[in-house]
Structures are given as C-alpha cells and as structure tokens.
Amino acid sequence: MKPFVRDTLLRQRARLHELDALLSAPDVVNDMARFRQLSREHADVGALVAVFDRHQQREADRRAAEELLNDADMADMAREELAACDADLQALDAELQQLLLPRDPDDERPAFLEIRAGTGGDESALFAGDLARMYTRYADAQGWRTELVSESPGEMGGYKEVVLRIDGAGAYGRLRFESGGHRVQRVPATETQGRIHTSAATVAVMPEPDEAQAIQLNPAELRIDTFRASGAGGQHINKTDSAVRVTHLPTGITAECQDGRSQHSNKAKALQVLTARLREKDRSERAAREAATRKGLIGSGDRSDRIRTYNFPQGRLTDHRINLTLYKLLAVMEGDLGEVIHALQVARGAELLAELEAAPR
C-alpha cells in the first residue's frame, strides 16, 4: 500500500471518531439537514474504514504466517496462508483505492445519450443506428430502461440524429466516457466494388439534471415551436402537432421531443434535454480550460476527440485513449461493452489516484 493511501486512511479513521461524536451532539440532532448530511458522510467513511480494518487484519495474519515459516511442522500451512493473504491484500488494495476516489454526484443519475451521423453520408447514418442499437442492448443487459426522446431518421436507414434517455443505477457513470468521435471502417451495403469506406458518428452523453440543481431557464429566453413528428411512433403521431422543439435564444442550443403522446409531456422532456445540453456546454468549456494546462488520458469527451475505431474487416475495436484493442467487434456491437467500459473506468481511476497523490496535503 502506498504511504499516501495509508496516511489518507488513517485520517479517515480519525474522522469517523469525530463523526461518532458529532452525531450524538444535541445541536446536530436538532438540525435535521446537518444530521442527514453527517449521517451520509458517516456511512461512506464507515464503509471505507471497515475495508481498511480488514486490510490491516490480513497484514497481521501475513506477519504471523511469516513467523511460522521456520517451523518445519507448520511451514506448508504457513505458505498456504501467505498465498491467501497476498491474494486478499491485493483485492483489498484495489477496493480501497476505488473507495478513495472522488465521486461525481452525477454518476448515479440517468443519462441522455445523443448520437449524430458525421462524415460518410448514408453510411454514417447507418452507423449511428448501429451505435444506438449497441447502447440499447448494453442498457437492456444492465436492466436499465431506454426511452427514445427524439429521432431524425436517415434516408437509407439509421439516424441522422437520435437522442435516448437511459435510466438505471449508475447509467451516467458507466456511459460518460462514450462521448466523442466514433469511426467505422467497413464495406457499406451500398458498395458494389467491395471497397472499405470510413465513416464517423459523434456521441454525447449528458447526465439528466437534478431538478433541485437544474439551471433556471428564463422563459423570455426560450422559443417553443410545435410540429408534427416524423418517423415511426404510432397512429396518433400523424394526427396531432404534438412534437415540441425548444430553442435557448442566447446560445442557439435546441432540444426537441416527439416521442410522448401529449404536447405537455414532450415539452417537459425537451426542457430536460435542453437543460442537460446547457450544463454540458458549461462542463465542456471548463474542461477545455483545464486541458490547456493538463490533458487527461480519457480526454474531455469533446465531440471532436476521435476516441474509438470499429474495424469490421479485422473484427477489431480500438479505443485510442487507453490503447485498448479487442478482437470481438461483433459481440461489442451486440451490446457486450462491459470490458471496454471497465477498462475506461480503471484508467480514469488511475488518473484520479495520481492527482490525489500529487495534491498538497
């Protein structure tokens, strides 16, 4: 265990004793807001300290096993215990490092996932449709719920643009690193010469805003238009102008929803997407300023970042940010994204841990 990790854990143990005292203080008990806040902190710190205690116990077990190595009658058992301790300590080290990482409060929130066709014409729209299917399959495998918020179908299939809402535990935290440029290399269905084409699509993943923390939109700065929805959606869609587009006049950012059965519900959902896009604009601008001094391994998630290549002739997926290459492209396109997402989370965790270690204490 790194010295700074041990020092941090010892400070957290001391903090747990402070919290025990604070939660029994009359002024805290009588202030429900503060009591709830400290109770949540106590639960988080308590979970961390419990793992640290197990780690220290296994360290003590390992020292005891080392002492038995010189005893001929106990040596074999001691070696087995040492192997078990080493395996447990490695797992506990990884768990402690994960628990020490700063948590983004948005990670547990639902996500808006926006996919837009890029260069490549009809083939890029088909690729955007393939990506939408891939993410929908992945969400289904996690037990998440996926809703179509808006769509602009491509002429040959797929989408020029599609926005999905994905709701489930940890949805944004798992999908957040999918933002950026996605490139595909394959022979299009419309290609008669068998030539490989390169096309692209962009993905943006945004957390659904918490209503309590959402940006307050000024109605005077909004233009709301209604129109008849296009694409599949049921018989009612052809009878009413229920689709809604909201434009934020100061920035020109728009959002629309055409999936609901009523103009009211579509307006509410479009306002949610607009709020998410405005928050994402602020986040991207902050990330760009930070990138001027430090470029993270995972990157800013800007759409201009080419993050991944899908090479169909070779059955290869390459994530350029972490130099990850997998030869299981067809499985990935069927929603088997777990290995990719885990590798990105591990890489981001290593980044954050290095920042914690470098921070002045």
Side-chain angles (χ1 to χ4, degrees), residues 343-356:
L344 288 164
Q345 289 179 319
V346 169
R348 182 55 178 158
E351 275 188 344
L352 291 172
L353 204 61
E355 290 174 12
L356 284 174

Side-chain angles (χ1 to χ4, degrees), residues 32-96:
M32 284 308 298
R34 190 167 180 226
F35 183 81
R36 281 194 296 268
Q37 178 189 359
L38 291 173
S39 295
R40 285 193 295 269
E41 185 184 355
H42 187 278
D44 291 340
V45 175
L48 179 65
V49 170
V51 179
F52 183 40
D53 288 343
R54 292 207 305 275
H55 189 283
Q56 290 202 306
Q57 180 59 55
R58 292 307 274 159
E59 283 184 325
D61 294 342
R62 194 185 193 289
R63 289 192 295 271
E66 283 182 325
E67 292 176 1
L68 293 175
L69 284 173
N70 295 325
D71 186 331
D73 295 332
M74 304 293 288
D76 288 343
M77 188 177 71
R79 279 190 287 271
E80 290 179 8
E81 177 65 7
L82 281 172
C85 286
D86 287 342
D88 289 346
L89 287 170
Q90 185 176 359
L92 289 166
D93 270 333
E95 187 176 355
L96 285 169

